[in-house]
Amino acid sequence: RRESNPYEYRDTAVLMRTNGQIQEFEAAFVQHQIPYVVASAIGLFDRKEIRDAVAYLRVIAQPRDGLAFQRIVNVPKRGLGPKTVDKIREAAQDGAVEFP
Protein backbone atom coordinates (compact mmCIF):
# COMPACT_ATOMS: atom_id res chain seq x y z
CA ARG A 1 0.00 0.00 0.00
CA ARG A 2 1.29 3.40 -0.89
CA GLU A 3 0.60 6.45 1.25
CA SER A 4 -0.94 8.35 -1.70
CA ASN A 5 -3.33 5.48 -2.44
CA PRO A 6 -6.19 4.86 0.00
CA TYR A 7 -6.85 1.34 -1.36
CA GLU A 8 -5.42 -1.92 -0.14
CA TYR A 9 -3.98 -4.46 -2.58
CA ARG A 10 -6.80 -6.81 -1.60
CA ASP A 11 -9.29 -4.24 -2.96
CA THR A 12 -7.98 -4.78 -6.50
CA ALA A 13 -8.62 -7.53 -9.04
CA VAL A 14 -7.06 -8.13 -12.44
CA LEU A 15 -9.23 -10.12 -14.83
CA MET A 16 -7.73 -11.82 -17.85
CA ARG A 17 -9.30 -13.41 -20.87
CA THR A 18 -6.62 -16.08 -21.33
CA ASN A 19 -4.23 -17.83 -18.97
CA GLY A 20 -1.35 -16.88 -21.26
CA GLN A 21 -1.55 -13.32 -19.98
CA ILE A 22 -0.93 -14.31 -16.37
CA GLN A 23 2.84 -14.74 -16.67
CA GLU A 24 3.48 -11.10 -17.58
CA PHE A 25 1.35 -9.87 -14.69
CA GLU A 26 3.03 -12.28 -12.28
CA ALA A 27 6.46 -11.06 -13.34
CA ALA A 28 5.42 -7.43 -12.81
CA PHE A 29 3.88 -8.19 -9.42
CA VAL A 30 7.03 -9.94 -8.27
CA GLN A 31 9.26 -7.17 -9.62
CA HIS A 32 7.26 -4.51 -7.78
CA GLN A 33 6.75 -6.65 -4.66
CA ILE A 34 2.98 -6.61 -5.00
CA PRO A 35 1.25 -9.49 -3.22
CA TYR A 36 -1.07 -11.47 -5.49
CA VAL A 37 -3.17 -14.60 -5.72
CA VAL A 38 -4.05 -16.37 -8.97
CA ALA A 39 -7.53 -17.85 -8.86
CA SER A 40 -9.19 -20.20 -11.35
CA ALA A 41 -6.09 -20.60 -13.47
CA ILE A 42 -4.25 -23.65 -14.71
CA GLY A 43 -1.69 -24.68 -12.13
CA LEU A 44 1.94 -25.07 -13.09
CA PHE A 45 1.86 -28.86 -13.26
CA ASP A 46 -1.43 -28.83 -15.15
CA ARG A 47 0.15 -27.05 -18.12
CA LYS A 48 0.81 -29.31 -21.09
CA GLU A 49 4.37 -28.10 -21.63
CA ILE A 50 5.26 -28.78 -17.99
CA ARG A 51 3.67 -32.26 -18.08
CA ASP A 52 5.63 -32.99 -21.28
CA ALA A 53 8.91 -31.79 -19.72
CA VAL A 54 8.30 -33.93 -16.64
CA ALA A 55 7.55 -36.93 -18.88
CA TYR A 56 10.90 -36.42 -20.67
CA LEU A 57 12.67 -36.34 -17.29
CA ARG A 58 10.82 -39.48 -16.18
CA VAL A 59 11.91 -41.35 -19.32
CA ILE A 60 15.51 -40.24 -18.76
CA ALA A 61 15.41 -41.43 -15.14
CA GLN A 62 13.30 -44.55 -15.81
CA PRO A 63 13.62 -45.60 -19.48
CA ARG A 64 10.93 -48.26 -19.06
CA ASP A 65 8.27 -45.76 -17.90
CA GLY A 66 5.65 -46.62 -20.51
CA LEU A 67 3.18 -43.89 -19.60
CA ALA A 68 5.79 -41.15 -19.81
CA PHE A 69 7.10 -42.57 -23.09
CA GLN A 70 3.63 -42.62 -24.62
CA ARG A 71 3.17 -38.98 -23.64
CA ILE A 72 6.37 -37.82 -25.36
CA VAL A 73 6.79 -40.29 -28.21
CA ASN A 74 5.49 -37.72 -30.69
CA VAL A 75 6.25 -34.43 -28.84
CA PRO A 76 7.37 -32.43 -30.67
CA LYS A 77 5.63 -33.86 -33.72
CA ARG A 78 7.82 -36.47 -35.41
CA GLY A 79 5.29 -37.92 -37.79
CA LEU A 80 4.78 -41.04 -35.68
CA GLY A 81 1.21 -42.14 -35.82
CA PRO A 82 -0.54 -44.76 -33.73
CA LYS A 83 0.34 -47.48 -36.26
CA THR A 84 4.07 -46.71 -36.03
CA VAL A 85 3.97 -46.71 -32.23
CA ASP A 86 2.09 -50.04 -32.35
CA LYS A 87 4.82 -51.47 -34.63
CA ILE A 88 7.49 -50.37 -32.13
CA ARG A 89 5.48 -52.00 -29.35
CA GLU A 90 5.14 -55.24 -31.37
CA ALA A 91 8.88 -55.26 -32.07
CA ALA A 92 9.51 -54.88 -28.35
CA GLN A 93 7.27 -57.85 -27.61
CA ASP A 94 9.28 -59.90 -30.12
CA GLY A 95 12.46 -58.85 -28.33
CA ALA A 96 13.84 -56.96 -31.34
CA VAL A 97 13.89 -53.62 -29.52
CA GLU A 98 13.35 -52.49 -25.96
CA PHE A 99 10.12 -50.62 -25.41
CA PRO A 100 8.75 -49.37 -22.12
Side-chain angles (χ1 to χ4, degrees), residues 9-36:
Y9 286 127
R10 67 174 181 233
D11 297 330
T12 306
V14 178
L15 304 177
M16 287 164 252
R17 187 174 173 100
T18 65
N19 288 335
Q21 298 169 312
I22 293 173
Q23 292 174 333
E24 291 180 35
F25 279 96
E26 284 183 309
F29 292 152
V30 169
Q31 179 182 1
H32 296 287
Q33 299 177 343
I34 298 172
Y36 68 94

PDB file of all heavy atoms in Angstrom, residues 9-36:
ATOM      1  N   TYR A   9      -4.165  -3.557  -1.443  1.00  0.00           N
ATOM      2  CA  TYR A   9      -3.982  -4.463  -2.578  1.00  0.00           C
ATOM      3  C   TYR A   9      -5.153  -5.422  -2.702  1.00  0.00           C
ATOM      4  O   TYR A   9      -5.586  -5.772  -3.789  1.00  0.00           O
ATOM      5  CB  TYR A   9      -2.685  -5.247  -2.437  1.00  0.00           C
ATOM      6  CG  TYR A   9      -1.440  -4.432  -2.716  1.00  0.00           C
ATOM      7  CD1 TYR A   9      -0.410  -4.375  -1.802  1.00  0.00           C
ATOM      8  CD2 TYR A   9      -1.298  -3.730  -3.912  1.00  0.00           C
ATOM      9  CE1 TYR A   9       0.732  -3.643  -2.059  1.00  0.00           C
ATOM     10  CE2 TYR A   9      -0.163  -2.996  -4.178  1.00  0.00           C
ATOM     11  CZ  TYR A   9       0.856  -2.947  -3.245  1.00  0.00           C
ATOM     12  OH  TYR A   9       1.980  -2.228  -3.516  1.00  0.00           O
ATOM     13  N   ARG A  10      -5.694  -5.845  -1.572  1.00  0.00           N
ATOM     14  CA  ARG A  10      -6.802  -6.810  -1.602  1.00  0.00           C
ATOM     15  C   ARG A  10      -8.077  -6.217  -2.202  1.00  0.00           C
ATOM     16  O   ARG A  10      -9.021  -6.943  -2.508  1.00  0.00           O
ATOM     17  CB  ARG A  10      -7.065  -7.352  -0.207  1.00  0.00           C
ATOM     18  CG  ARG A  10      -7.607  -6.310   0.737  1.00  0.00           C
ATOM     19  CD  ARG A  10      -7.995  -6.916   2.075  1.00  0.00           C
ATOM     20  NE  ARG A  10      -8.531  -5.862   2.912  1.00  0.00           N
ATOM     21  CZ  ARG A  10      -8.105  -5.591   4.123  1.00  0.00           C
ATOM     22  NH1 ARG A  10      -7.159  -6.320   4.669  1.00  0.00           N
ATOM     23  NH2 ARG A  10      -8.644  -4.621   4.813  1.00  0.00           N
ATOM     24  N   ASP A  11      -8.128  -4.896  -2.366  1.00  0.00           N
ATOM     25  CA  ASP A  11      -9.286  -4.236  -2.964  1.00  0.00           C
ATOM     26  C   ASP A  11      -9.239  -4.254  -4.493  1.00  0.00           C
ATOM     27  O   ASP A  11     -10.147  -3.741  -5.145  1.00  0.00           O
ATOM     28  CB  ASP A  11      -9.366  -2.777  -2.506  1.00  0.00           C
ATOM     29  CG  ASP A  11      -9.578  -2.663  -1.003  1.00  0.00           C
ATOM     30  OD1 ASP A  11     -10.198  -3.571  -0.420  1.00  0.00           O
ATOM     31  OD2 ASP A  11      -9.113  -1.659  -0.423  1.00  0.00           O
ATOM     32  N   THR A  12      -8.196  -4.829  -5.066  1.00  0.00           N
ATOM     33  CA  THR A  12      -7.976  -4.776  -6.503  1.00  0.00           C
ATOM     34  C   THR A  12      -8.035  -6.177  -7.101  1.00  0.00           C
ATOM     35  O   THR A  12      -7.564  -7.137  -6.500  1.00  0.00           O
ATOM     36  CB  THR A  12      -6.592  -4.164  -6.804  1.00  0.00           C
ATOM     37  OG1 THR A  12      -6.518  -2.895  -6.146  1.00  0.00           O
ATOM     38  CG2 THR A  12      -6.379  -3.977  -8.286  1.00  0.00           C
ATOM     39  N   ALA A  13      -8.593  -6.261  -8.300  1.00  0.00           N
ATOM     40  CA  ALA A  13      -8.615  -7.527  -9.038  1.00  0.00           C
ATOM     41  C   ALA A  13      -8.173  -7.251 -10.464  1.00  0.00           C
ATOM     42  O   ALA A  13      -8.470  -6.202 -11.028  1.00  0.00           O
ATOM     43  CB  ALA A  13     -10.006  -8.131  -9.033  1.00  0.00           C
ATOM     44  N   VAL A  14      -7.461  -8.204 -11.036  1.00  0.00           N
ATOM     45  CA  VAL A  14      -7.063  -8.133 -12.441  1.00  0.00           C
ATOM     46  C   VAL A  14      -7.707  -9.318 -13.124  1.00  0.00           C
ATOM     47  O   VAL A  14      -7.455 -10.463 -12.764  1.00  0.00           O
ATOM     48  CB  VAL A  14      -5.522  -8.178 -12.600  1.00  0.00           C
ATOM     49  CG1 VAL A  14      -5.145  -8.156 -14.072  1.00  0.00           C
ATOM     50  CG2 VAL A  14      -4.865  -7.037 -11.837  1.00  0.00           C
ATOM     51  N   LEU A  15      -8.553  -9.051 -14.110  1.00  0.00           N
ATOM     52  CA  LEU A  15      -9.233 -10.116 -14.831  1.00  0.00           C
ATOM     53  C   LEU A  15      -8.574 -10.286 -16.187  1.00  0.00           C
ATOM     54  O   LEU A  15      -8.266  -9.305 -16.860  1.00  0.00           O
ATOM     55  CB  LEU A  15     -10.709  -9.772 -15.008  1.00  0.00           C
ATOM     56  CG  LEU A  15     -11.481  -9.479 -13.721  1.00  0.00           C
ATOM     57  CD1 LEU A  15     -12.912  -9.076 -14.047  1.00  0.00           C
ATOM     58  CD2 LEU A  15     -11.463 -10.682 -12.793  1.00  0.00           C
ATOM     59  N   MET A  16      -8.370 -11.542 -16.573  1.00  0.00           N
ATOM     60  CA  MET A  16      -7.729 -11.824 -17.850  1.00  0.00           C
ATOM     61  C   MET A  16      -8.592 -12.762 -18.663  1.00  0.00           C
ATOM     62  O   MET A  16      -9.262 -13.630 -18.122  1.00  0.00           O
ATOM     63  CB  MET A  16      -6.360 -12.449 -17.609  1.00  0.00           C
ATOM     64  CG  MET A  16      -5.362 -11.435 -17.115  1.00  0.00           C
ATOM     65  SD  MET A  16      -3.948 -12.223 -16.410  1.00  0.00           S
ATOM     66  CE  MET A  16      -4.226 -11.868 -14.695  1.00  0.00           C
ATOM     67  N   ARG A  17      -8.514 -12.575 -19.958  1.00  0.00           N
ATOM     68  CA  ARG A  17      -9.303 -13.406 -20.866  1.00  0.00           C
ATOM     69  C   ARG A  17      -8.655 -14.771 -21.084  1.00  0.00           C
ATOM     70  O   ARG A  17      -9.329 -15.780 -21.222  1.00  0.00           O
ATOM     71  CB  ARG A  17      -9.469 -12.679 -22.199  1.00  0.00           C
ATOM     72  CG  ARG A  17     -10.386 -13.363 -23.147  1.00  0.00           C
ATOM     73  CD  ARG A  17     -10.595 -12.490 -24.373  1.00  0.00           C
ATOM     74  NE  ARG A  17     -11.341 -13.183 -25.380  1.00  0.00           N
ATOM     75  CZ  ARG A  17     -12.631 -13.012 -25.595  1.00  0.00           C
ATOM     76  NH1 ARG A  17     -13.301 -12.165 -24.872  1.00  0.00           N
ATOM     77  NH2 ARG A  17     -13.233 -13.684 -26.537  1.00  0.00           N
ATOM     78  N   THR A  18      -7.322 -14.812 -21.117  1.00  0.00           N
ATOM     79  CA  THR A  18      -6.619 -16.080 -21.329  1.00  0.00           C
ATOM     80  C   THR A  18      -5.552 -16.269 -20.264  1.00  0.00           C
ATOM     81  O   THR A  18      -4.998 -15.309 -19.744  1.00  0.00           O
ATOM     82  CB  THR A  18      -5.948 -16.141 -22.716  1.00  0.00           C
ATOM     83  OG1 THR A  18      -4.921 -15.146 -22.768  1.00  0.00           O
ATOM     84  CG2 THR A  18      -6.943 -15.909 -23.826  1.00  0.00           C
ATOM     85  N   ASN A  19      -5.261 -17.524 -19.968  1.00  0.00           N
ATOM     86  CA  ASN A  19      -4.231 -17.829 -18.971  1.00  0.00           C
ATOM     87  C   ASN A  19      -2.849 -17.405 -19.427  1.00  0.00           C
ATOM     88  O   ASN A  19      -1.964 -17.194 -18.613  1.00  0.00           O
ATOM     89  CB  ASN A  19      -4.231 -19.327 -18.655  1.00  0.00           C
ATOM     90  CG  ASN A  19      -5.443 -19.721 -17.848  1.00  0.00           C
ATOM     91  OD1 ASN A  19      -6.022 -18.914 -17.154  1.00  0.00           O
ATOM     92  ND2 ASN A  19      -5.835 -20.976 -17.954  1.00  0.00           N
ATOM     93  N   GLY A  20      -2.645 -17.270 -20.740  1.00  0.00           N
ATOM     94  CA  GLY A  20      -1.346 -16.875 -21.258  1.00  0.00           C
ATOM     95  C   GLY A  20      -0.923 -15.494 -20.817  1.00  0.00           C
ATOM     96  O   GLY A  20       0.257 -15.157 -20.827  1.00  0.00           O
ATOM     97  N   GLN A  21      -1.865 -14.671 -20.416  1.00  0.00           N
ATOM     98  CA  GLN A  21      -1.547 -13.318 -19.977  1.00  0.00           C
ATOM     99  C   GLN A  21      -1.043 -13.275 -18.539  1.00  0.00           C
ATOM    100  O   GLN A  21      -0.450 -12.283 -18.126  1.00  0.00           O
ATOM    101  CB  GLN A  21      -2.792 -12.431 -20.101  1.00  0.00           C
ATOM    102  CG  GLN A  21      -3.286 -12.292 -21.526  1.00  0.00           C
ATOM    103  CD  GLN A  21      -4.650 -11.645 -21.587  1.00  0.00           C
ATOM    104  OE1 GLN A  21      -5.560 -12.024 -20.859  1.00  0.00           O
ATOM    105  NE2 GLN A  21      -4.785 -10.661 -22.466  1.00  0.00           N
ATOM    106  N   ILE A  22      -1.256 -14.309 -17.792  1.00  0.00           N
ATOM    107  CA  ILE A  22      -0.930 -14.315 -16.370  1.00  0.00           C
ATOM    108  C   ILE A  22       0.559 -14.133 -16.125  1.00  0.00           C
ATOM    109  O   ILE A  22       0.961 -13.413 -15.210  1.00  0.00           O
ATOM    110  CB  ILE A  22      -1.437 -15.615 -15.707  1.00  0.00           C
ATOM    111  CG1 ILE A  22      -2.956 -15.622 -15.707  1.00  0.00           C
ATOM    112  CG2 ILE A  22      -0.903 -15.771 -14.302  1.00  0.00           C
ATOM    113  CD1 ILE A  22      -3.568 -16.923 -15.242  1.00  0.00           C
ATOM    114  N   GLN A  23       1.395 -14.763 -16.921  1.00  0.00           N
ATOM    115  CA  GLN A  23       2.841 -14.745 -16.673  1.00  0.00           C
ATOM    116  C   GLN A  23       3.403 -13.331 -16.645  1.00  0.00           C
ATOM    117  O   GLN A  23       4.224 -13.007 -15.787  1.00  0.00           O
ATOM    118  CB  GLN A  23       3.570 -15.585 -17.712  1.00  0.00           C
ATOM    119  CG  GLN A  23       3.266 -17.059 -17.561  1.00  0.00           C
ATOM    120  CD  GLN A  23       3.859 -17.897 -18.684  1.00  0.00           C
ATOM    121  OE1 GLN A  23       4.063 -17.410 -19.783  1.00  0.00           O
ATOM    122  NE2 GLN A  23       4.124 -19.157 -18.384  1.00  0.00           N
ATOM    123  N   GLU A  24       2.970 -12.472 -17.560  1.00  0.00           N
ATOM    124  CA  GLU A  24       3.476 -11.101 -17.581  1.00  0.00           C
ATOM    125  C   GLU A  24       3.052 -10.341 -16.333  1.00  0.00           C
ATOM    126  O   GLU A  24       3.845  -9.590 -15.760  1.00  0.00           O
ATOM    127  CB  GLU A  24       2.992 -10.378 -18.834  1.00  0.00           C
ATOM    128  CG  GLU A  24       3.624 -10.926 -20.104  1.00  0.00           C
ATOM    129  CD  GLU A  24       3.146 -10.193 -21.354  1.00  0.00           C
ATOM    130  OE1 GLU A  24       2.916  -8.971 -21.269  1.00  0.00           O
ATOM    131  OE2 GLU A  24       3.016 -10.859 -22.386  1.00  0.00           O
ATOM    132  N   PHE A  25       1.815 -10.528 -15.909  1.00  0.00           N
ATOM    133  CA  PHE A  25       1.350  -9.869 -14.692  1.00  0.00           C
ATOM    134  C   PHE A  25       2.109 -10.388 -13.476  1.00  0.00           C
ATOM    135  O   PHE A  25       2.525  -9.613 -12.611  1.00  0.00           O
ATOM    136  CB  PHE A  25      -0.157 -10.067 -14.499  1.00  0.00           C
ATOM    137  CG  PHE A  25      -0.992  -9.132 -15.316  1.00  0.00           C
ATOM    138  CD1 PHE A  25      -1.504  -9.531 -16.533  1.00  0.00           C
ATOM    139  CD2 PHE A  25      -1.251  -7.835 -14.877  1.00  0.00           C
ATOM    140  CE1 PHE A  25      -2.277  -8.667 -17.297  1.00  0.00           C
ATOM    141  CE2 PHE A  25      -2.019  -6.966 -15.639  1.00  0.00           C
ATOM    142  CZ  PHE A  25      -2.536  -7.382 -16.850  1.00  0.00           C
ATOM    143  N   GLU A  26       2.291 -11.707 -13.408  1.00  0.00           N
ATOM    144  CA  GLU A  26       3.026 -12.282 -12.280  1.00  0.00           C
ATOM    145  C   GLU A  26       4.436 -11.710 -12.196  1.00  0.00           C
ATOM    146  O   GLU A  26       4.910 -11.364 -11.110  1.00  0.00           O
ATOM    147  CB  GLU A  26       3.092 -13.806 -12.392  1.00  0.00           C
ATOM    148  CG  GLU A  26       1.799 -14.488 -12.026  1.00  0.00           C
ATOM    149  CD  GLU A  26       1.907 -15.997 -12.084  1.00  0.00           C
ATOM    150  OE1 GLU A  26       2.375 -16.527 -13.109  1.00  0.00           O
ATOM    151  OE2 GLU A  26       1.527 -16.638 -11.091  1.00  0.00           O
ATOM    152  N   ALA A  27       5.104 -11.610 -13.332  1.00  0.00           N
ATOM    153  CA  ALA A  27       6.462 -11.056 -13.344  1.00  0.00           C
ATOM    154  C   ALA A  27       6.468  -9.618 -12.836  1.00  0.00           C
ATOM    155  O   ALA A  27       7.340  -9.233 -12.048  1.00  0.00           O
ATOM    156  CB  ALA A  27       7.043 -11.128 -14.752  1.00  0.00           C
ATOM    157  N   ALA A  28       5.492  -8.827 -13.256  1.00  0.00           N
ATOM    158  CA  ALA A  28       5.415  -7.432 -12.810  1.00  0.00           C
ATOM    159  C   ALA A  28       5.105  -7.354 -11.315  1.00  0.00           C
ATOM    160  O   ALA A  28       5.700  -6.541 -10.598  1.00  0.00           O
ATOM    161  CB  ALA A  28       4.358  -6.686 -13.607  1.00  0.00           C
ATOM    162  N   PHE A  29       4.203  -8.189 -10.842  1.00  0.00           N
ATOM    163  CA  PHE A  29       3.875  -8.185  -9.415  1.00  0.00           C
ATOM    164  C   PHE A  29       5.094  -8.540  -8.574  1.00  0.00           C
ATOM    165  O   PHE A  29       5.364  -7.915  -7.552  1.00  0.00           O
ATOM    166  CB  PHE A  29       2.728  -9.157  -9.117  1.00  0.00           C
ATOM    167  CG  PHE A  29       1.395  -8.739  -9.697  1.00  0.00           C
ATOM    168  CD1 PHE A  29       0.456  -9.694 -10.028  1.00  0.00           C
ATOM    169  CD2 PHE A  29       1.082  -7.408  -9.917  1.00  0.00           C
ATOM    170  CE1 PHE A  29      -0.776  -9.332 -10.562  1.00  0.00           C
ATOM    171  CE2 PHE A  29      -0.142  -7.029 -10.447  1.00  0.00           C
ATOM    172  CZ  PHE A  29      -1.081  -8.000 -10.766  1.00  0.00           C
ATOM    173  N   VAL A  30       5.834  -9.540  -9.009  1.00  0.00           N
ATOM    174  CA  VAL A  30       7.033  -9.945  -8.268  1.00  0.00           C
ATOM    175  C   VAL A  30       8.064  -8.823  -8.296  1.00  0.00           C
ATOM    176  O   VAL A  30       8.658  -8.476  -7.268  1.00  0.00           O
ATOM    177  CB  VAL A  30       7.619 -11.251  -8.845  1.00  0.00           C
ATOM    178  CG1 VAL A  30       8.989 -11.541  -8.268  1.00  0.00           C
ATOM    179  CG2 VAL A  30       6.660 -12.414  -8.574  1.00  0.00           C
ATOM    180  N   GLN A  31       8.277  -8.238  -9.469  1.00  0.00           N
ATOM    181  CA  GLN A  31       9.264  -7.171  -9.618  1.00  0.00           C
ATOM    182  C   GLN A  31       8.942  -5.981  -8.708  1.00  0.00           C
ATOM    183  O   GLN A  31       9.836  -5.391  -8.116  1.00  0.00           O
ATOM    184  CB  GLN A  31       9.316  -6.711 -11.074  1.00  0.00           C
ATOM    185  CG  GLN A  31      10.308  -5.583 -11.314  1.00  0.00           C
ATOM    186  CD  GLN A  31      10.301  -5.122 -12.769  1.00  0.00           C
ATOM    187  OE1 GLN A  31       9.539  -5.629 -13.589  1.00  0.00           O
ATOM    188  NE2 GLN A  31      11.143  -4.178 -13.074  1.00  0.00           N
ATOM    189  N   HIS A  32       7.672  -5.667  -8.577  1.00  0.00           N
ATOM    190  CA  HIS A  32       7.264  -4.508  -7.783  1.00  0.00           C
ATOM    191  C   HIS A  32       6.834  -4.888  -6.363  1.00  0.00           C
ATOM    192  O   HIS A  32       6.288  -4.057  -5.639  1.00  0.00           O
ATOM    193  CB  HIS A  32       6.134  -3.751  -8.493  1.00  0.00           C
ATOM    194  CG  HIS A  32       6.560  -3.166  -9.797  1.00  0.00           C
ATOM    195  ND1 HIS A  32       7.384  -2.068  -9.903  1.00  0.00           N
ATOM    196  CD2 HIS A  32       6.296  -3.552 -11.060  1.00  0.00           C
ATOM    197  CE1 HIS A  32       7.596  -1.784 -11.176  1.00  0.00           C
ATOM    198  NE2 HIS A  32       6.953  -2.691 -11.911  1.00  0.00           N
ATOM    199  N   GLN A  33       7.061  -6.131  -5.993  1.00  0.00           N
ATOM    200  CA  GLN A  33       6.752  -6.649  -4.661  1.00  0.00           C
ATOM    201  C   GLN A  33       5.285  -6.425  -4.279  1.00  0.00           C
ATOM    202  O   GLN A  33       4.959  -5.998  -3.184  1.00  0.00           O
ATOM    203  CB  GLN A  33       7.684  -6.034  -3.616  1.00  0.00           C
ATOM    204  CG  GLN A  33       9.138  -6.359  -3.870  1.00  0.00           C
ATOM    205  CD  GLN A  33      10.068  -5.707  -2.884  1.00  0.00           C
ATOM    206  OE1 GLN A  33       9.709  -4.763  -2.190  1.00  0.00           O
ATOM    207  NE2 GLN A  33      11.282  -6.221  -2.822  1.00  0.00           N
ATOM    208  N   ILE A  34       4.419  -6.727  -5.224  1.00  0.00           N
ATOM    209  CA  ILE A  34       2.985  -6.610  -4.995  1.00  0.00           C
ATOM    210  C   ILE A  34       2.444  -7.999  -4.687  1.00  0.00           C
ATOM    211  O   ILE A  34       2.614  -8.923  -5.486  1.00  0.00           O
ATOM    212  CB  ILE A  34       2.269  -6.029  -6.238  1.00  0.00           C
ATOM    213  CG1 ILE A  34       2.776  -4.621  -6.529  1.00  0.00           C
ATOM    214  CG2 ILE A  34       0.751  -6.036  -6.042  1.00  0.00           C
ATOM    215  CD1 ILE A  34       2.273  -4.039  -7.838  1.00  0.00           C
ATOM    216  N   PRO A  35       1.810  -8.170  -3.531  1.00  0.00           N
ATOM    217  CA  PRO A  35       1.253  -9.493  -3.222  1.00  0.00           C
ATOM    218  C   PRO A  35       0.096  -9.807  -4.163  1.00  0.00           C
ATOM    219  O   PRO A  35      -0.678  -8.924  -4.536  1.00  0.00           O
ATOM    220  CB  PRO A  35       0.760  -9.340  -1.778  1.00  0.00           C
ATOM    221  CG  PRO A  35       0.594  -7.880  -1.570  1.00  0.00           C
ATOM    222  CD  PRO A  35       1.555  -7.184  -2.496  1.00  0.00           C
ATOM    223  N   TYR A  36      -0.009 -11.077  -4.561  1.00  0.00           N
ATOM    224  CA  TYR A  36      -1.071 -11.468  -5.489  1.00  0.00           C
ATOM    225  C   TYR A  36      -1.465 -12.913  -5.278  1.00  0.00           C
ATOM    226  O   TYR A  36      -0.716 -13.699  -4.706  1.00  0.00           O
ATOM    227  CB  TYR A  36      -0.645 -11.249  -6.943  1.00  0.00           C
ATOM    228  CG  TYR A  36       0.454 -12.189  -7.394  1.00  0.00           C
ATOM    229  CD1 TYR A  36       0.142 -13.372  -8.045  1.00  0.00           C
ATOM    230  CD2 TYR A  36       1.783 -11.896  -7.161  1.00  0.00           C
ATOM    231  CE1 TYR A  36       1.141 -14.241  -8.451  1.00  0.00           C
ATOM    232  CE2 TYR A  36       2.786 -12.753  -7.564  1.00  0.00           C
ATOM    233  CZ  TYR A  36       2.456 -13.923  -8.206  1.00  0.00           C
ATOM    234  OH  TYR A  36       3.450 -14.783  -8.597  1.00  0.00           O
TER     235      TYR A  36
END
